[in-house]
């Protein structure tokens, strides 16, 4: 069995969502792939193909391990353990899981959540137990909370339900209709500009100290209101850029992110950082008439570029 799961971007509302305002997230077709197959041995074998790392565990061990002790394998192991517990399964048959991913890690695209959700689907499918999306999202959230200490539903829910989600107060609604159809026809570039210099928790703590943050969050919320009504790329791109300018006031951008955003504004319809900031990624709404010039300018920078569209 092979399971392919998307990653995610925040289109609008980073940091504001921490304070009960809205964020708009979108599943994108930068994917991770989980392959599960039965083996003859009494063990569970995990292969992280991109890192060239492997781990073997006896079937009897999986229920008693602390996943946080297993470094790069922790999300996958926690997902296996929690799924077996939820399904009340004592594993009698060995299996191998091969994991590969196109998603750059630790840059706000939900790479760990993508692997977590894919593993939950693979393990439940391996045992012929069909889980509903609500169950998968809940299990995924539990895994992220167990590994990270605290978690948001944003990544695991967006990756489970796909499409476009509006997140508020750790609850979501799926956005359908004209806005979804509009975004289906948009082409985006994800530009991995630089390694993040700070962890999300550090950035959140720094934003908390900004005195006028609520005024900024209210402006971001107005941007979301406008964005949800828009049906043309030029205006949508301008709102992305407006959101970026507001995020700059929260001191979470960097000179390099700003430079990439500027290129996205000049040769695309608009651009903004996506995620917690402090480095990481920029999302650019592509103007296909200027795409060659856009790529030419971006290739002058030391960046990684990924084409993506909404995944539904």
């Amino acid at each position: 069995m092979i399971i392919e799961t998307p990653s995610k971007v925040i289109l609008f509302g980073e940091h504001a969502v921490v304070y009960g305002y809205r964020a708009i997230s979108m599943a994108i077709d930068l994917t991770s792939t989980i392959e599960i197959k039965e083996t003859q041995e009494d063990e569970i074998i995990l292969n992280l193909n991109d890192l060239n790392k492997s781990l073997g565990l006896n079937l009897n061990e999986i229920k008693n391990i602390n996943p946080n002790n297993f470094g790069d394998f922790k999300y996958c192991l926690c997902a296996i353990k929690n799924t077996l517990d939820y399904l009340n399964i004592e594993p009698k048959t060995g299996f191998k899981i091969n994991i590969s991913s196109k998603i750059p890690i630790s840059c706000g695209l939900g790479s760990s959540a993508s692997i977590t959700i894919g593993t939950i689907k693979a393990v439940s499918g391996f045992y012929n137990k069909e889980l509903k999306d609500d169950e998968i999202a809940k299990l995924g959230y539990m895994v992220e909370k167990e590994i990270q200490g605290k978690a948001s539903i944003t990544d695991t829910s967006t990756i489970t339900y796909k499409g476009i989600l509006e997140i508020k107060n750790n609850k979501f609604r799926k956005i359908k209709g004209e806005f979804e159809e509009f975004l289906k026809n948009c082409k985006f570039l994800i530009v991995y500009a630089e390694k993040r210099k700070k962890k999300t928790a550090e950035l959140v703590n720094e934003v908390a100290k900004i005195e006028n943050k609520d005024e900024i969050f209210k402006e971001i919320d107005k941007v979301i209101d406008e964005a949800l009504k828009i049906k043309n790329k030029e205006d949508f791109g301008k709102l992305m850029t407006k959101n970026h300018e507001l995020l700059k006031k929260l001191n979470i951008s960097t000179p390099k992110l700003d430079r990439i955003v500027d290129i996205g504004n000049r040769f695309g319809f608009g651009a903004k950082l996506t995620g917690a900031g402090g480095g990481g990624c920029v999302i650019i709404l592509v103007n296909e008439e200027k795409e060659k010039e856009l790529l030419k300018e971006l290739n002058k920078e030391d960046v990684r570029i990924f084409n993506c569209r909404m995944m539904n």
Side-chain angles (χ1 to χ4, degrees):
M1 178 184 294
I2 295 175
I3 303 290
E4 192 172 53
T5 45
S7 50
K8 76 93 182 57
V9 290
I10 301 289
L11 288 174
F12 302 99
E14 292 90 341
H15 288 279
V17 73
V18 176
Y19 292 85
Y21 295 90
R22 292 176 293 174
I24 304 296
S25 62
M26 176 174 74
I28 56 172
D29 58 357
L30 280 180
T31 58
S32 57
T33 303
I34 313 291
E35 180 189 34
I36 188 167
K37 55 175 80 170
E38 186 175 336
T39 65
Q40 300 306 309
E41 291 78 30
D42 292 332
E43 63 178 348
I44 294 170
I45 300 165
L46 303 183
N47 294 320
L48 304 180
N49 295 342
D50 303 294
L51 299 177
N52 200 25
K53 290 184 178 181
S54 294
L55 174 71
L57 286 174
N58 190 283
L59 286 177
N60 301 325
E61 291 181 82
I62 188 69
K63 289 288 191 89
N64 301 314
I65 60 162
N66 179 352
N68 275 302
N69 295 334
F70 289 86
D72 293 322
F73 297 91
K74 60 189 175 184
Y75 284 98
C76 184
L77 281 175
C78 193
I80 294 169
K81 181 183 175 184
N82 286 15
T83 305
L84 291 173
D85 286 345
Y86 182 77
L87 296 172
N88 198 25
I89 287 172
E90 289 292 336
K92 306 291 185 192
T93 306
F95 57 84
K96 179 192 292 184
I97 292 181
N98 296 317
I99 299 169
S100 54
S101 179
K102 300 172 187 173
I103 311 164
I105 61 172
S106 299
C107 62
L109 299 180
S111 57
S112 60
S114 184
I115 286 168
T116 295
I117 296 301
T119 302
I120 291 166
K121 287 184 174 183
V123 172
S124 57
F126 181 76
Y127 287 102
N128 294 315
K129 302 284 187 182
E130 189 174 341
L131 294 177
K132 296 174 182 174
D133 282 348
D134 289 355
E135 295 174 291
I136 293 165
K138 184 179 177 182
L139 276 170
Y141 174 73
M142 285 167 54
V143 168
E144 292 229 313
K145 194 171 181 182
E146 186 174 332
I147 297 297
Q148 298 170 7
K150 58 181 181 178
S152 161
I153 66 163
T154 303
D155 290 10
T156 45
S157 292
T158 308
I159 287 161
T160 301
Y161 295 96
K162 304 176 186 173
I164 314 292
L165 268 57
E166 180 184 273
I167 311 286
K168 185 175 181 179
N169 291 325
N170 227 25
K171 295 179 181 175
F172 76 91
R173 73 175 181 96
K174 190 159 184 182
I175 300 175
K176 306 285 281 184
E178 289 184 2
F179 186 65
E180 183 187 43
E181 291 305 313
F182 163 69
L183 283 175
K184 277 183 188 175
N185 294 313
C186 290
K187 181 178 180 180
F188 295 94
L189 292 184
I190 298 293
V191 182
Y192 182 29
E194 59 187 340
K195 190 174 179 180
R196 287 170 60 190
K197 298 169 179 66
K198 296 176 182 176
K199 292 184 178 179
T200 300
E202 292 177 77
L203 291 155
V204 168
N205 289 335
E206 288 177 14
V207 168
K209 296 171 187 172
I210 295 173
E211 288 186 6
N212 67 332
K213 60 183 178 296
D214 270 300
E215 293 168 32
I216 296 167
F217 296 152
K218 285 172 185 172
E219 289 300 312
I220 291 172
D221 213 54
K222 288 179 187 174
V223 169
I224 291 174
D225 268 336
E226 290 181 56
L228 291 171
K229 298 169 190 168
I230 275 177
K231 299 167 189 171
N232 70 80
K233 295 176 184 178
E234 291 87 350
D235 289 342
F236 193 82
K238 286 174 185 173
L239 289 174
M240 288 172 64
T241 303
K242 187 174 180 180
N243 192 167
H244 181 77
E245 292 302 315
L246 291 164
L247 293 173
K248 281 172 70 174
K249 292 181 179 180
L250 297 173
N251 301 324
I252 64 164
S253 192
T254 68
K256 186 161 187 184
L257 290 178
D258 291 342
R259 200 159 67 241
I260 302 302
V261 168
D262 180 61
I263 293 169
N265 287 334
R266 286 188 287 127
F267 299 99
F269 288 122
K272 62 181 282 293
L273 70 82
T274 183
C281 292
V282 167
I283 180 168
I284 299 172
L285 179 53
V286 175
N287 178 346
E288 291 177 71
E289 291 179 7
K290 294 184 182 178
E291 189 171 3
K292 284 184 181 176
E293 295 100 306
L294 173 63
L295 291 169
K296 185 179 176 183
E297 287 299 310
L298 289 173
N299 283 321
K300 293 176 184 176
E301 305 285 341
D302 182 21
V303 297
R304 292 169 66 193
I305 302 166
F306 304 86
N307 282 297
C308 70
R309 291 187 183 270
M310 185 184 83
M311 188 164 171
N312 208 345

